[in-house]
Amino acid sequence: ADTMNGGKNKRVIGLKGARLISDLEGESLVMGMDVNKTGILCFAWCDNIIIRNLEFVGPGSVDVSGKDNLTFHGSTNMWVDHCTVRDGIDGNFDIIHGSDNISVTWCKFTYTNYRAHNTSNLVGKDDSNYVEDENHLNVTWGNCWWDANIKERTPRVRYGKNHIYNSYMSDDSKRNSEIQVGYEGKIYADYNRLTKAVKTSNAYKNL
């Protein structure tokens, strides 16, 4: 993945039809490809970035530790708007390592073909990462669409307070679960259309 380190006060705006495409073949990872070459864009320790009108196209999921199409790592005050993110190797879009104050609006997440590792959106990488993640990972998901062939993580949330509203999770008989609450996660979900049962835990409550 290409990485922007420490960028501030930037806009990444795509012209009509703009696409960022991974040219990797997903299956080649099984044969020992360097996983650091996977993914498309990572924003590490960035602040105040707008990403708009882009399509992120990966090669499809593989059950190995590859990178996501889009990753926020330790970044704050980020806004992703009117983007499509599909066919990520490990997932479509992860928000991890203490990232905070994130808005994701009018975005679509999907996979072209169903595979067992089609996991879309993860907030918080690991239960043990409390030093970085506690009181962070606060995300708003507004008017988003989780479409076909996603197994789970629409999204899955650890630690952070996440608000999910006016969003749609397409009917998909292969989906394992919809919104998932992980360790210390808190979700306020309203005015969404969920076509599968919502997987919750005792951490599920209003913000």
Side-chain angles (χ1 to χ4, degrees):
D2 289 328
T3 300
M4 175 182 285
N5 282 294
K8 293 185 178 182
N9 306 320
K10 305 291 184 182
R11 292 182 296 173
V12 183
I13 311 295
L15 299 176
K16 184 177 181 179
R19 308 171 86 193
L20 300 176
I21 302 173
S22 170
D23 61 357
L24 298 174
E25 292 292 335
E27 290 80 358
S28 65
L29 287 171
V30 178
M31 297 181 287
M33 179 176 284
D34 182 358
V35 296
N36 291 316
K37 294 180 180 178
T38 63
I40 295 176
L41 275 181
C42 175
F43 291 84
W45 316 114
C46 293
D47 180 68
N48 195 27
I49 307 288
I50 298 172
I51 301 142
R52 179 178 287 165
N53 298 340
L54 289 171
E55 182 177 7
F56 297 80
V57 183
S61 69
V62 179
D63 192 10
V64 295
S65 298
K67 295 184 178 296
D68 295 82
N69 280 350
L70 179 62
T71 302
F72 289 169
H73 182 122
S75 293
T76 54
N77 304 310
M78 308 287 283
W79 180 20
V80 185
D81 179 61
H82 282 88
C83 289
T84 295
V85 190
R86 64 179 176 91
D87 296 324
I89 280 182
D90 182 59
N92 281 322
F93 175 27
D94 281 6
I95 299 169
I96 56 176
H97 289 291
S99 293
D100 204 10
N101 297 331
I102 311 297
S103 292
V104 186
T105 56
W106 296 101
C107 289
K108 178 181 178 181
F109 305 97
T110 188
Y111 281 89
T112 303
N113 300 301
Y114 183 80
R115 295 177 181 174
H117 194 65
N118 287 5
T119 56
S120 190
N121 301 85
L122 181 65
V123 179
K125 187 174 182 179
D126 192 272
D127 291 357
S128 65
N129 208 43
Y130 63 90
V131 173
E132 286 183 298
D133 291 347
E134 191 173 25
N135 299 318
H136 296 97
L137 300 175
N138 299 304
V139 184
T140 297
W141 307 83
N143 301 293
C144 291
W145 178 14
W146 283 271
D147 196 12
N149 295 316
I150 296 172
K151 181 181 179 182
E152 59 186 20
R153 299 183 186 175
T154 64
R156 178 179 178 178
V157 178
R158 290 183 176 98
Y159 287 103
K161 296 177 180 179
N162 279 220
H163 185 195
I164 307 167
Y165 70 92
N166 288 356
S167 293
Y168 177 51
M169 291 74 174
S170 296
D171 186 12
D172 191 333
S173 61
K174 297 177 182 177
R175 189 161 298 160
N176 182 51
S177 60
E178 298 286 9
I179 297 168
Q180 294 171 282
V181 181
Y183 184 73
E184 295 292 335
K186 300 174 182 67
I187 291 176
Y188 186 85
D190 61 334
Y191 298 100
N192 302 297
R193 182 176 179 183
L194 306 173
T195 53
K196 297 285 285 185
V198 178
K199 185 175 182 179
T200 66
S201 71
N202 291 334
Y204 181 86
K205 59 184 180 181
N206 292 353
L207 297 179

